[in-house]
Amino acid sequence: MFAALADRTRRDIVARLAGGEATVTELAAPYGMSVQAVSQHLRVLERCGLISRGRHRQTRPCRLEPQALESALSWIQESRRVWAERMDGLEAHLDRLREDPQR
């Protein structure tokens, strides 16, 4: 998922879909690329579970799958907690070294 979101176009597409469903043609409109190129970006996002595509008559609207972002957010929050604890421990250790430079 993080590799998929490393690309600016894909991040833009995810942001656009946060506002509601859109077709491939609608998603391709702001870019100077073909519908096929945008479709390739959509396939990457679909493979990692960030979007899904439905079927409505002859169109295939894309929609954001927010639960995928929620799992990434959980991982980020846990990593943040772990690293905050480690940095607090390092800060405490450095404070002890400053207080007693003979250590």
Side-chain angles (χ1 to χ4, degrees), residues 1-6 44-45 48-50 65 67-73:
M1 177 182 312
F2 293 110
L5 291 172
V44 172
L45 293 169
C48 69
L50 282 169
E65 296 296 338
Q67 66 275 14
L69 289 172
E70 290 171 12
S71 65
L73 180 60

Side-chain angles (χ1 to χ4, degrees), residues 25-93:
T25 304
E26 292 168 337
L27 292 169
Y31 304 104
M33 64 177 79
S34 67
V35 171
Q36 290 80 12
V38 172
S39 289
Q40 289 177 349
H41 285 294
L42 294 173
R43 276 193 287 280
V44 172
L45 293 169
E46 194 172 23
R47 275 195 306 262
C48 69
L50 282 169
I51 70 163
S52 62
R53 294 194 233 191
R55 188 171 290 299
H56 180 68
R57 296 186 184 141
Q58 293 182 340
T59 63
R60 294 201 47 179
C62 301
R63 73 183 57 82
L64 182 65
E65 296 296 338
Q67 66 275 14
L69 289 172
E70 290 171 12
S71 65
L73 180 60
S74 294
W75 181 84
I76 291 168
Q77 289 172 332
E78 177 61 19
S79 294
R80 176 183 283 168
R81 185 192 63 74
V82 167
W83 281 102
E85 287 176 5
R86 290 177 181 179
M87 292 295 116
D88 289 346
L90 177 59
E91 185 177 15
H93 177 70

